[in-house]
């Protein structure tokens, strides 16, 4: 099967934003104008294509990223619509990892919001060029220029409008194109009758001012253009577009467009900008990985069909009809249905049963995929998120994904014996899909504990278990995922001796424990000399130490970021065994940790509260009672914005109490910020509660 579109005509992009900025509405309009669908779906009516899950349609939010392919002006667009809620941030992160560009949507009233910043930083991390679209300019309180200022102040100084809105709120009726210096006015409700006119007289001076600012920045990309501009010459539109594209691909220019997706204004211009300014895979040029057998050896693959196959798995979905569906992005080479590939993360050979092209939750079978394609495979058994698939004779390992740790847990138990069997299957499939969802058994209580990124995240998981897997279960109250951390370095000894009638058990070691830098995890080192402990017993000591830290020292919460060094010990020629040294390692770490001292850490959430002015004092007083640290207070369209760091344990049920104290007019959003020591009085309560 030949390639339909050359690789330079591909645009792999995602739609990212804060919750409720209008991502899915923009995506629906893109599908309508590109001819992918003939009726516009609305989020508030629950009939959108990209929000296809029942939970998404009921709540009016995006929960899982949805991929589709559409076509615009001779280009193939692979689009991923991502969630905006912080609980599903993993979907944004893994989507950006495989995309070449992004359209960032902003609310015309709110401007830059907390999740806008988080997603922007993810795009920075993965070096994803982007265009901005200021949406909802028809809403009461919308202010395009204030939004532009918030982008410049909080995200990047390189953002410049390519358009200005004509009118605002109810009077928003068109757009001034600063490249053409023409006005485009809408004369129908479907956004199809657009007429090119002269710029309204009262906007000519403003348009000239913003055009000059824009061109000053654009011509920095090219010396000849700069000289023309300084000499007062008119620079052709095509040349300006070429330079905008060059600047966007180099992260030195971010185009800003405007419109109202709900009122069908501005989306065609956004599509033009995606085609004109975002990079194709050919612009990215190559992808770098390492040799699976030698991680210091860097391998580079050019993004074309003639290179060996290189693809990365970025999402797993459990499909009730066909089983496990693996979403992947092909960087180089081609892949045919029925062929074999090497999974370099596991070292296993896998067979591609079927290949499918995605359109949200519907699929179209295809025979072959090419470099630049985003598709899904059926039939892969041991391939998971972040795994690299490649040509068997040309192995390469791409950088793995990193995901945030869960911050909230709850206990779950099946209602009947039948549910017990189904629950195990359901939890394992959901954990396969979502790397931020964890399942473990509590050894003390025998309960199954599920952990995730927030109350809504776990609520959706439980809801999916009931609907998709038909599992009825009882759910406990949410618990905060506390952590423990050593206060200072210390040493400890572990000696395990057990004498029985026959062969006994003997393990003995001395260890040193040290608190590591945040985020380093568990590190184990061997400094034994002179054969005081045989080499085959070193690894079991490390395993025992790691398990002891996982079980916790003070209150049964995992001890994080710890370095353990074994430096001495002794052994018995007959009685020593791996099990004995594993137990000794565990005892030694517990002994050392008691000398080091342990503090309990709690997750702190970056919290933004939006409240009417007259409730400000009450809201701040309530936040102070929740051990909040107020960072900043600012105004936004007649409302007060409070930025604060608040412990997660104090935020359970906050939505209800906030609404009741503000007559239902205030709202808030949270995202994980960092872990911090709990105060002594709270620590005592946690330890006492755990003992009970």
């Amino acid at each position: 099967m030949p390639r339909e579109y050359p690789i330079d005509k591909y645009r792999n992009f995602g739609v990212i934003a804060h919750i409720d900025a209008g991502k899915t509405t923009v995506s629906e309009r893109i599908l309508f104008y590109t001819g992918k669908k003939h009726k516009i779906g609305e989020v508030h009516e629950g009939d959108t294509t990209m929000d296809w899950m029942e939970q998404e349609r009921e709540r009016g939010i995006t929960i899982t990223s949805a991929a589709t392919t559409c076509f615009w002006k001779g280009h193939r667009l692979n689009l991923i619509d991502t969630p905006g809620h912080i609980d599903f941030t993993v979907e944004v992160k893994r989507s950006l990892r495989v995309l070449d560009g992004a359209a960032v949507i902003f609310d015309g009233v709110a401007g830059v919001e907390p999740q806008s910043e988080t997603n922007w930083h993810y795009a920075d991390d993965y070096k994803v060029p982007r265009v901005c679209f200021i949406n909802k300019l028809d809403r009461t309180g919308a202010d395009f220029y204030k939004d532009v200022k918030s982008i410049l102040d909080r995200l990047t100084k390189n953002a410049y409008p390519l358009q200005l809105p004509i009118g605002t709120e109810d009077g928003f009726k068109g757009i001034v194109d600063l490249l053409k210096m023409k006005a485009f006015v809408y004369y129908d409700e479907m956004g199809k009758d657009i007429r090119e006119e002269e710029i309204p007289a009262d906007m000519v001076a403003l348009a000239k001012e913003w055009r000059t600012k824009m061109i000053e920045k654009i011509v920095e990309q090219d010396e000849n253009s700069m000289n023309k501009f300084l000499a007062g010459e008119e620079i052709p539109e095509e040349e300006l577009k070429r330079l905008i594209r060059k600047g966007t691909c180099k992260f030195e220019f971010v185009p800003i467009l405007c419109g109202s997706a709900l009122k069908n204004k501005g989306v065609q211009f956004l599509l033009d900008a995606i085609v004109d300014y975002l990079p194709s895979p050919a612009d990215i040029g190559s992808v770098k990985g390492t040799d699976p057998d030698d991680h210091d050896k860097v391998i580079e693959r050019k993004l074309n069909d003639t290179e060996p196959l290189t693809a990365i798995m970025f999402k797993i979905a459990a499909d009730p009809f066909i089983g496990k569906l693996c979403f992947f992005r092909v960087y180089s080479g081609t892949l045919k249905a029925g062929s074999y590939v090497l999974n370099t993360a596991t070292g296993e050979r896998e067979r591609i049963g079927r290949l499918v092209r995605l359109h949200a939750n519907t699929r179209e079978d295809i025979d072959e995929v090419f470099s630049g394609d985003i598709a899904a495979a059926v039939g892969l058994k041991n391939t998971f998120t972040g795994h690299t698939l490649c040509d068997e004779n040309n192995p390469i390992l791409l950088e793995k994904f990193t995901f945030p740790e869960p911050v909230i847990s709850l206990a779950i138990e099946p209602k009947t014996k039948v549910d017990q069997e189904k629950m195990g299957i359901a939890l394992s499939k959901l954990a396969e899909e979502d790397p931020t969802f964890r399942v473990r058994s509590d050894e003390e209580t025998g309960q199954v504990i599920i952990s995730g990124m927030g109350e809504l995240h776990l609520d959706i998981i439980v809801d999916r278990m009931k609907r998709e897997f038909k599992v009825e279960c009882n759910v406990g109250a949410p618990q905060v995922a506390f952590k423990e951390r050593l206060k200072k370095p210390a040493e400890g000894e572990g000696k395990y001796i057990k004498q029985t009638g026959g062969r006994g058990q003997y393990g003995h070691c001395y260890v040193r424990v040290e608190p590591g830098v945040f985020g380093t995890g568990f590190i184990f080192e061997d400094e034994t000399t002179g054969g005081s402990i045989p080499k085959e017993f070193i690894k079991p000591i490390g395993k025992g130490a790691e398990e002891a830290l996982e079980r916790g020292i003070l209150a049964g919460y995992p001890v994080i970021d710890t370095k353990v060094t074994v430096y001495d010990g002794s052994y018995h020629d007959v009685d020593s065994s791996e099990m004995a040294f594993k137990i000794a390692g565990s005892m030694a770490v517990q002994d050392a940790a008691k000398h080091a001292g342990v503090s309990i850490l709690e997750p702190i959430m970056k919290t933004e509260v939006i409240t009417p002015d007259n409730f400000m004092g009450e809201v701040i007083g309530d936040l102070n009672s929740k051990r909040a640290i107020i960072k900043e207070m600012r105004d936004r369209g007649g409302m007060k914005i409070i930025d604060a760091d608040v412990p997660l344990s104090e935020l359970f049920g906050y939505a209800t109490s906030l609404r009741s104290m503000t007559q239902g007019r205030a709202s808030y959003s949270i995202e994980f910020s960092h872990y911090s020591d709990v105060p002594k009085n709270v620590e005592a309560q946690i330890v006492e509660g755990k003992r009970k």
Side-chain angles (χ1 to χ4, degrees):
M1 183 181 78
R3 179 190 265 282
E4 294 174 72
Y5 285 78
I7 196 165
D8 63 330
K9 298 293 184 188
Y10 273 61
R11 297 291 181 273
N12 293 320
F13 74 100
V15 180
I16 62 173
H18 186 85
I19 189 168
D20 223 18
K23 295 175 303 304
T24 302
T25 306
V26 169
S27 300
E28 288 298 312
R29 297 317 184 265
I30 286 174
L31 297 183
F32 176 70
Y33 292 125
T34 56
K36 189 75 184 182
K37 58 184 292 192
H38 304 293
K39 177 186 176 291
I40 293 176
E42 301 293 4
V43 173
H44 55 270
E45 290 172 8
D47 62 354
T48 59
T49 300
M50 302 306 267
D51 283 355
W52 54 270
M53 289 171 67
E54 287 177 37
Q55 293 88 345
E56 293 178 314
R57 292 185 167 184
E58 284 172 7
R59 290 169 172 81
I61 61 168
T62 303
I63 291 167
T64 183
S65 53
T68 190
T69 302
C70 51
F71 306 91
W72 183 255
K73 296 187 176 176
H75 290 73
R76 181 195 188 110
L77 310 183
N78 290 322
L79 158 66
I80 296 182
D81 176 31
T82 66
H85 197 287
I86 184 63
D87 285 14
F88 311 107
T89 190
V90 61
E91 295 286 342
V92 185
K93 208 169 182 188
R94 61 180 169 191
S95 298
L96 284 172
R97 170 73 167 77
V98 299
L99 293 169
D100 303 325
V104 191
I105 314 300
F106 296 93
D107 185 315
V109 178
V112 175
E113 297 174 271
Q115 193 64 11
S116 321
E117 285 190 73
T118 304
N119 292 345
W120 191 275
H121 296 318
Y122 287 158
D124 284 340
D125 292 343
Y126 291 124
K127 295 187 167 46
V128 177
R130 60 220 87 146
V131 298
C132 298
F133 182 74
I134 295 177
N135 190 26
K136 300 191 177 185
L137 288 177
D138 58 309
R139 276 184 63 197
T140 304
D143 187 335
F144 173 78
Y145 301 98
K146 197 175 79 182
D147 271 29
V148 170
K149 186 177 185 303
S150 73
I151 292 169
L152 295 171
D153 291 345
R154 296 174 66 179
L155 300 179
T156 176
K157 296 291 181 199
N158 292 331
Y160 288 82
L162 305 188
Q163 302 172 339
L164 302 178
I166 301 172
T168 189
E169 300 179 356
D170 288 346
F172 176 56
K173 61 178 184 179
I175 287 161
V176 171
D177 186 323
L178 297 178
L179 287 170
K180 295 183 188 299
M181 282 305 274
K182 292 285 183 185
F184 290 88
V185 181
Y186 289 82
Y187 283 92
D188 72 334
E189 284 301 305
M190 293 309 292
K192 290 198 161 183
D193 184 5
I194 314 170
R195 299 178 198 172
E196 185 178 317
E197 300 177 359
E198 293 303 317
I199 298 171
D202 61 342
M203 287 191 70
V204 172
L206 186 68
K208 283 181 178 172
E209 179 194 334
W210 280 98
R211 177 180 163 86
T212 304
K213 283 185 198 173
M214 174 190 78
I215 293 177
E216 278 176 2
K217 182 65 181 175
I218 294 170
V219 294
E220 287 178 12
Q221 300 298 322
D222 182 81
E223 201 173 325
N224 289 337
S225 303
M226 173 84 82
N227 292 334
K228 278 188 205 171
F229 175 68
L230 294 173
E233 290 180 41
E234 191 61 40
I235 300 171
E237 184 189 337
E238 284 310 309
E239 189 175 333
L240 289 175
K241 280 187 171 181
R242 180 180 61 79
L243 296 177
I244 292 171
R245 179 183 179 79
K246 184 180 175 186
T248 304
C249 293
K250 287 164 62 183
F251 316 104
E252 291 171 7
F253 190 91
V254 181
I256 301 178
L257 298 98
C258 63
S260 165
L262 187 66
K263 296 293 171 66
N264 310 305
K265 294 180 173 74
V267 178
Q268 295 103 316
F269 296 112
L270 175 62
L271 278 165
D272 288 341
I274 286 162
V275 164
D276 290 340
Y277 309 131
L278 289 184
S280 72
D283 296 310
I284 306 298
S286 64
V287 63
K288 287 182 181 174
T290 56
D291 187 323
D293 300 322
D294 178 6
H295 292 307
D296 294 328
K297 184 181 174 186
V298 176
I299 300 172
E300 192 168 346
R301 293 266 162 88
K302 290 188 170 54
L303 302 193
N304 61 46
D305 297 345
T306 56
E307 290 271 303
L309 173 70
T310 308
I312 194 161
M313 203 60 61
F314 69 93
K315 179 177 162 73
I316 304 293
D319 188 287
F321 303 108
I322 60 173
K324 185 170 156 185
L325 199 60
C326 302
F327 294 55
F328 64 92
R329 153 84 193 257
V330 182
Y331 285 104
S332 66
T334 61
L335 179 61
K336 288 185 177 175
S339 61
Y340 284 89
V341 293
L342 175 68
N343 180 338
T344 44
T346 62
E348 291 183 24
R349 190 171 180 245
E350 291 257 35
R351 183 177 182 273
I352 305 289
R354 281 168 61 195
L355 289 173
V356 292
R357 184 167 292 142
L358 298 150
H359 181 46
N361 64 327
T362 60
R363 294 165 297 278
E364 168 199 346
D365 277 285
I366 49 176
D367 298 324
E368 189 175 7
V369 288
F370 303 90
S371 54
D373 273 328
I374 290 174
V378 181
L380 298 173
K381 291 184 175 63
N382 298 312
T383 298
F384 301 103
T385 302
H387 286 186
T388 306
L389 300 181
C390 62
D391 181 71
E392 294 180 80
N393 301 318
N394 294 277
I396 184 173
L397 183 63
L398 300 178
E399 185 186 347
K400 285 191 175 175
F401 295 22
T402 54
F403 297 115
E405 287 291 314
V407 295
I408 190 168
S409 304
L410 54 82
I412 187 169
E413 59 184 34
K415 282 189 176 175
T416 66
K417 186 77 175 164
V418 176
D419 288 324
Q420 187 167 6
E421 292 171 15
K422 290 196 285 187
M423 190 172 94
I425 296 165
L427 289 174
S428 66
K429 285 189 174 177
L430 290 166
E432 266 184 22
E433 280 189 28
D434 186 348
T436 57
F437 172 61
R438 309 280 168 82
V439 184
R440 66 180 174 86
S441 292
D442 189 310
E443 290 177 11
E444 291 175 22
T445 63
Q447 288 177 308
V448 174
I449 308 293
I450 59 174
S451 306
M453 300 307 295
E455 287 180 88
L456 179 63
H457 186 196
L458 294 182
D459 187 31
I460 297 292
I461 292 281
V462 172
D463 195 32
R464 287 188 63 194
M465 282 171 63
K466 286 178 181 171
R467 293 195 198 194
E468 290 176 35
F469 300 96
K470 306 292 184 278
V471 178
E472 290 297 326
C473 49
N474 298 317
V475 178
Q479 302 289 322
V480 175
F482 292 107
K483 306 280 187 196
E484 296 181 13
R485 184 173 162 80
L486 300 180
K487 291 180 180 175
K488 61 180 193 286
E491 295 183 351
E493 178 187 11
K495 196 168 197 176
Y496 179 67
I497 303 173
K498 191 175 181 184
Q499 290 299 336
T500 55
R503 180 182 165 182
Q505 295 283 358
Y506 184 93
H508 178 217
C509 63
Y510 293 93
V511 301
R512 184 166 53 250
V513 296
E514 303 164 64
V517 178
F518 274 104
T520 51
F522 173 73
I523 298 169
F524 179 67
E525 287 186 358
D526 171 24
E527 285 183 6
T528 55
T529 54
S532 56
I533 301 173
K535 289 295 173 198
E536 65 266 26
F537 298 139
I538 297 295
K539 206 169 180 182
I541 292 171
K543 191 73 183 153
E546 188 173 11
E547 286 180 9
L549 293 171
E550 272 295 315
R551 287 194 299 272
I553 307 296
L554 189 61
Y557 296 108
V559 183
I560 60 166
D561 304 325
T562 307
K563 182 181 177 185
V564 177
T565 306
V566 56
Y567 62 89
D568 201 4
S570 61
Y571 70 100
H572 189 280
D573 287 334
V574 177
D575 291 353
S576 285
S577 67
E578 288 190 3
M579 180 54 72
F581 272 99
K582 183 178 174 184
I583 295 168
S586 175
M587 292 165 69
V589 163
Q590 289 176 51
D591 181 45
K594 282 171 187 146
H595 295 121
V598 177
S599 59
I600 294 181
L601 305 179
E602 63 181 343
I604 303 294
M605 309 306 280
K606 184 176 159 190
T607 308
E608 182 186 85
V609 183
I610 304 167
T611 177
D613 205 348
N614 51 328
F615 298 109
M616 178 84 159
E618 206 173 337
V619 170
I620 286 182
D622 184 59
L623 283 171
N624 286 331
S625 74
K626 296 182 182 300
R627 300 191 280 124
I629 296 169
I630 309 290
K631 291 292 189 71
E632 188 187 355
M633 287 181 273
R634 56 187 197 279
D635 296 307
R636 182 197 289 164
M639 302 287 272
K640 291 285 184 189
I641 312 286
I642 305 162
D643 288 328
D645 283 348
V646 190
L648 176 61
S649 57
E650 302 284 350
L651 287 169
F652 290 139
Y654 184 54
T656 309
S657 64
L658 180 65
R659 285 189 196 116
S660 64
M661 78 176 85
T662 61
Q663 297 170 5
R665 293 168 63 196
S667 63
Y668 80 106
S669 61
I670 60 172
E671 63 176 283
F672 174 70
S673 173
H674 61 281
Y675 269 93
S676 177
D677 288 351
V678 302
K680 281 286 169 208
N681 61 321
V682 179
E683 184 177 287
Q685 289 171 12
I686 293 168
V687 174
E688 187 60 34
K690 199 74 175 172
R691 282 188 188 139
K692 281 181 183 174

